[in-house]
């Protein structure tokens, strides 16, 4: 139940679904690699990242250790089409391999690769295939380290040991009443844990079935995950079945005063050998209920409540739109998050060199927030807005690091998940200006600040206090699109994953996308440049370098 802003960001293409955070400018977004990042919107309240919090809208996200992640996405591409994507980090001068001695060559750069198709409907049936991997952030030294952990290249393509490499194929059936699919494939992943280790996991196979039937939505997944550490001669296997069943409010129900939805999320695991994480009782059942009440057009109440034998979690909010002038919107609201755990379906333990790291903490957390938002469209081409909030959190989840271990280039930690049993308070403010000219041009200037008061040395991350951004889109002749995002983020700081705080310096960044559309043939060609202007830095402990890179996408729709 995050507070949604009333402005749109420039439509710079993301490298892949789930990597939109690279170009986000409205908070603190620190990327260690495609499968782990800290993502916190300024004004969201609390000190946790968005991916740490379970919500019903994330039922089909991937659970990567204790995070809910879009990437690697197994959601079938919706449009019948075939597509290809490729790119690289700037500076990958291949000819150096022939002209320069090995010790004098530039640091290796890493690419991105994707290809796939989805067929048109044939009597409701369709088929799809997709292979995709992102080698970015897999810098040379870390790649050498990962090579010692696993057999083979641990990817479908190349020898960069990327953080993920995934391929699947399957069939589906779609009509007015049902939308169902079943996909099967293989996947290589590196998952980041509380000890700060990257754990290699090979899924062979992974099978995912989905169905939307009327107001019911179901997902069923089978994963055969293999673990290994070649240096320690350790191997293990986890067979897991997970999924969900949800009843959603119908369209008629959504237009009424009371909206109800209910569901069940579940996981069952069977571990053999050395598996580096554990789930208490080898299962979790998570029933939940969502309710919305609209007693009048301008007032709404929303609540989500989940409970099982180990945990409970409540997320509720109230919002009121104050009647004002025709083009003026004034909204006041409040939200609350309370519970024993941010992600109640995640594993409960991690095993590291004979130590058992508890991933649960005694007690509960409580986050309270109030906010006000004002927006005014002064003319048919200009508007502005502002938003302010105050929040307070007690019992925030943190990590009590007891010791650190150095392993070549990486630093690991021992300890347990714990709580900050004191109040943390924050105040935020944001202001934006918008200009637009029909479909031809859209521009947003945005700035925000946040001040947090609390036991900052126990925060996993001290978020950035300030940002400013300038986003613009042009659509020329309805066929040529230019999108760009220029932004600045102030310093952020990791406190608990290294012996001393790890500071990520503030910097300017620029991203841009250029796309040519050919409507007559259903084709498009797009090129993007990402992370230009900024220094090439490591944004998270044990992460990879965030480098300037580009990628190109060709797509043909049927």
């Amino acid at each position: 139940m995050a507070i949604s802003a009333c402005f749109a960001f420039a439509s710079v293409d993301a490298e892949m679904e789930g990597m939109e955070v690279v170009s986000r400018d409205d908070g603190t977004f620190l990327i260690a690699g495609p499968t782990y990042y800290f993502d916190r919107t300024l004004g969201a309240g609390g000190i946790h990242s968005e991916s740490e919090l379970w919500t019903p809208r994330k039922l089909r996200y991937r659970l990567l250790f204790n995070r809910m992640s879009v990437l690697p996405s197994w959601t079938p591409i919706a449009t019948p089409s075939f597509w290809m994507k490729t790119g690289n980090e700037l500076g990958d001068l291949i000819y150096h391999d022939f002209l320069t001695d090995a010790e004098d060559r530039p640091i290796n750069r890493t690419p991105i690769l994707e290809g796939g198709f989805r067929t048109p409907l044939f009597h409701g049936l369709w088929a799809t295939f997709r292979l995709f991997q992102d080698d970015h952030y897999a810098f040379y030294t870390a790649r050498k380290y990962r090579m010692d952990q696993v057999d083979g290249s641990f990817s479908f393509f190349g020898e960069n040991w990327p953080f993920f490499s995934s391929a699947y194929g399957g069939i589906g059936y779609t009509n007015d009443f049902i939308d169902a699919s079943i996909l099967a494939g293989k996947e290589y992943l590196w998952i980041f844990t509380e000890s700060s280790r990257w754990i290699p996991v090979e899924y062979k196979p992974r099978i995912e079935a989905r169905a939307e039937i009327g107001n019911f939505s179901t997902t069923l997944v089978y994963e055969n995950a293999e673990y290994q550490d070649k240096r320690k001669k350790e191997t293990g296997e986890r067979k897991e079945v997970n999924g969900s069943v949800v009843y959603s409010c119908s369209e008629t129900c959504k237009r009424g005063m009371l909206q109800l939805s209910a569901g069940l999320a579940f996981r069952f695991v069977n571990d053999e050998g050395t598996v580096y994480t554990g789930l208490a009782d080898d299962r979790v059942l998570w029933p939940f209920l969502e309710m919305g009440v609209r007693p009048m057009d301008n007032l709404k109440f929303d609540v989500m409540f989940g409970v099982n034998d180990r945990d409970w979690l409540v997320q509720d909010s109230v919002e009121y739109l104050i009647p004002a002038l025709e083009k003026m919107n004034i909204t006041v609201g409040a939200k609350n998050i309370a519970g024993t755990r941010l992600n109640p379906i995640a594993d409960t333990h991690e095993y590291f060199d004979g130590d058992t790291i508890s991933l649960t903490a005694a007690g509960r957390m409580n986050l309270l927030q109030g906010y006000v938002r004002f927006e005014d469209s002064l003319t048919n081409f200009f508007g502005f807005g502002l938003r302010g909030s105050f929040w307070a959190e007690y019992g925030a989840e943190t990590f009590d690091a007891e010791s650190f271990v150095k392993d070549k280039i990486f630093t690991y930690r021992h300890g347990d998940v714990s709580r900050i049993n004191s109040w943390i308070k924050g105040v935020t403010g944001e202001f934006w200006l918008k200009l637009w000219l029909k479909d031809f041009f859209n521009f947003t200037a945005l700035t925000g600040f946040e001040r947090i008061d609390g036991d900052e040395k126990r925060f996993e991350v001290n978020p950035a206090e300030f940002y400013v951004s300038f986003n613009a889109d042009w659509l020329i002749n309805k066929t040529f699109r230019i999108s760009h995002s220029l932004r600045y983020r102030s310093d952020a700081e990791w406190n608990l994953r290294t012996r001393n705080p790890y500071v990520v310096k503030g910097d300017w960044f620029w991203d841009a996308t250029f796309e040519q559309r050919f409507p007559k043939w259903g084709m498009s060609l797009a090129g993007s440049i990402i992370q230009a202007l900024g220094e090439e830095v490591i944004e998270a402990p044990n992460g990879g370098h965030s480098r300037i890179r580009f990628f190109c996408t060709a797509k043909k729709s049927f």
Side-chain angles (χ1 to χ4, degrees):
M1 305 210 179
I3 306 168
S4 59
C6 292
F7 39 82
F9 301 100
S11 50
V12 174
D13 291 351
E15 296 160 88
M16 288 182 183
E17 314 98 301
M19 291 297 285
E20 293 85 358
V21 293
V22 173
S23 299
R24 289 287 298 271
D25 49 21
D26 58 329
T28 304
F29 304 93
L30 307 173
I31 295 90
T35 58
Y36 180 82
Y37 44 73
F38 181 87
D39 54 331
R40 180 185 181 274
T41 304
L42 186 146
I47 60 171
H48 59 271
S49 64
E50 172 61 26
S51 54
E52 293 177 78
L53 178 65
W54 182 91
T55 68
R57 70 177 179 84
K58 300 177 183 178
L59 282 171
R60 286 176 170 168
Y61 283 23
R62 301 291 299 276
L63 176 63
L64 303 185
F65 187 60
N66 60 356
R67 292 180 55 252
M68 306 306 298
S69 174
V70 174
L71 194 74
S73 173
W74 277 44
T75 298
I77 301 299
T79 307
S81 57
F82 67 83
W83 64 92
M84 293 186 63
K85 179 185 296 181
T86 187
N88 211 332
E89 298 169 342
L90 299 188
D92 191 18
L93 305 179
I94 297 176
Y95 68 86
H96 277 260
D97 291 348
F98 304 99
L99 302 180
T100 311
D101 292 335
E103 61 272 13
D104 296 327
R105 291 174 190 162
I107 297 175
N108 181 58
R109 299 298 193 256
T110 53
I112 189 172
L113 178 69
E114 178 178 349
F117 67 84
R118 172 168 169 164
T119 65
L121 293 179
F122 178 74
H123 299 291
L125 292 169
W126 51 268
T128 188
F129 171 81
R130 186 182 184 190
L131 184 151
F132 55 118
Q133 69 179 52
D134 188 345
D135 294 24
H136 299 328
Y137 300 88
F139 67 103
Y140 178 74
T141 309
R143 179 171 65 90
K144 292 274 289 182
Y145 181 82
R146 290 198 296 274
M147 288 170 60
D148 295 335
Q149 287 187 257
V150 296
D151 292 316
S153 61
F154 214 69
S155 66
F156 285 103
F157 181 81
E159 297 182 352
N160 289 312
W161 280 259
F163 285 102
F164 87 90
S165 182
S166 183
Y168 66 75
I171 59 174
Y173 180 79
T174 302
N175 63 21
D176 293 337
F177 180 70
I178 185 173
D179 185 5
S181 64
I182 182 167
L183 307 175
K186 183 177 177 180
E187 192 167 67
Y188 303 91
L189 281 181
W190 292 84
I191 297 176
F192 197 62
T193 66
E194 283 292 345
S195 65
S196 298
R197 291 178 299 168
W198 290 102
I199 294 177
V201 186
E202 182 179 358
Y203 295 101
K204 59 176 190 181
R206 184 177 191 273
I207 302 171
E208 180 170 336
R210 300 182 180 186
E212 310 282 347
I213 306 173
N215 297 328
F216 286 91
S217 174
T218 64
T219 306
L220 183 64
V221 177
Y222 170 76
E223 295 173 333
N224 184 73
E226 295 186 358
Y227 297 78
Q228 63 172 302
D229 189 333
K230 189 170 63 175
R231 300 169 305 169
K232 300 179 180 179
K233 297 182 173 59
E234 295 175 344
T235 60
E237 184 178 67
R238 166 175 286 185
K239 298 181 186 298
E240 176 169 344
V241 175
N242 63 69
S244 62
V245 180
V246 181
Y247 172 80
S248 299
C249 188
S250 66
E251 292 301 319
T252 302
C253 165
K254 291 176 182 178
R255 292 191 292 268
M257 186 182 76
L258 178 65
Q259 301 90 41
L260 288 173
S261 299
L264 173 70
F266 57 86
R267 293 180 65 208
F268 298 93
V269 304
N270 181 25
D271 296 338
E272 296 181 0
T274 302
V275 175
Y276 301 101
T277 64
L279 177 64
D281 301 323
D282 292 333
R283 56 103 181 118
V284 58
L285 297 172
W286 183 248
F288 61 90
L289 173 70
E290 289 186 283
M291 181 174 66
V293 180
R294 307 289 188 271
M296 60 182 71
D297 290 341
N298 293 348
L299 179 64
K300 62 179 181 179
F301 299 87
D302 292 296
V303 62
M304 187 290 298
F305 178 70
V307 63
N308 65 12
D309 56 339
R310 287 196 295 262
D311 295 296
W312 60 271
L313 180 65
V314 177
Q315 303 174 57
D316 54 61
S317 66
V318 56
E319 189 171 84
Y320 179 62
L321 178 63
I322 299 174
L325 299 178
E326 181 181 356
K327 295 183 178 181
M328 182 184 299
N329 292 318
I330 303 174
T331 304
V332 295
K335 75 169 186 176
N336 167 68
I337 301 176
T340 55
R341 200 176 183 201
L342 291 172
N343 190 345
I345 69 169
D347 283 0
T348 54
H349 298 88
E350 179 186 351
Y351 308 112
F352 177 31
D353 284 352
D355 181 25
T356 298
I357 297 174
S358 175
L359 305 178
T360 62
R364 65 182 180 89
M365 60 81 66
N366 195 185
L367 169 64
L368 302 169
Q369 184 174 32
Y371 60 93
V372 60
R373 184 171 62 234
F374 169 86
E375 187 169 34
D376 193 0
S377 298
L378 299 176
T379 68
N380 292 326
F381 61 87
F382 173 73
F384 74 96
L386 55 89
R387 183 179 66 184
S389 72
F390 171 81
W391 60 266
E393 182 177 20
Y394 187 90
E397 290 187 7
T398 186
F399 190 88
D400 283 345
E402 298 172 358
S403 62
F404 293 92
V405 178
K406 191 73 175 178
D407 187 357
K408 296 183 180 179
I409 63 171
F410 293 137
T411 298
Y412 305 136
R413 64 183 182 180
H414 291 270
D416 294 295
V417 170
S418 182
R419 296 198 184 280
I420 302 175
N421 289 314
S422 60
W423 284 102
I424 305 168
K425 306 177 186 68
V427 59
T428 71
E430 292 176 278
F431 176 77
W432 61 91
L433 295 172
K434 298 195 296 185
L435 292 170
W436 64 92
L437 181 59
K438 297 182 179 179
D439 295 331
F440 171 71
F441 175 69
N442 181 41
F443 171 81
T444 302
L446 173 67
T447 185
F449 75 90
E450 181 171 33
R451 176 59 187 169
I452 301 176
D453 181 34
D455 191 358
E456 296 183 0
K457 292 182 179 180
R458 297 192 65 199
F459 298 179
E460 183 81 88
V461 174
N462 285 341
E465 292 188 345
F466 172 78
Y467 73 87
V468 62
S469 69
F470 306 92
N471 305 305
D473 297 279
W474 291 265
L475 185 59
I476 302 170
N477 293 330
K478 296 184 179 181
T479 59
F480 186 66
R481 175 174 65 94
I482 304 173
S483 299
H484 93 90
S485 171
L486 175 67
R487 61 194 183 278
Y488 174 82
R489 170 192 43 78
S490 63
D491 293 358
E493 185 175 275
W494 295 82
N495 291 315
L496 306 177
R497 291 193 180 266
T498 52
R499 294 182 186 276
N500 300 308
Y502 183 89
V503 178
V504 183
K505 300 297 293 182
D507 208 343
W508 284 93
F509 303 94
W510 178 63
D511 301 340
T513 293
F514 304 88
E515 180 188 21
Q516 179 64 61
R517 302 169 182 172
F518 304 92
K520 182 178 179 180
W521 298 289
M523 296 177 59
S524 65
L525 299 172
S528 298
I529 185 166
I530 304 294
Q531 295 289 80
L533 297 184
E535 294 291 330
E536 296 183 346
V537 300
I538 295 176
E539 296 180 346
N542 294 355
H545 284 91
S546 179
R547 302 190 189 278
I548 302 172
R549 52 198 183 270
F550 70 92
F551 63 92
C552 302
T553 305
K555 184 175 182 179
K556 163 64 178 174
S557 298
F558 301 115

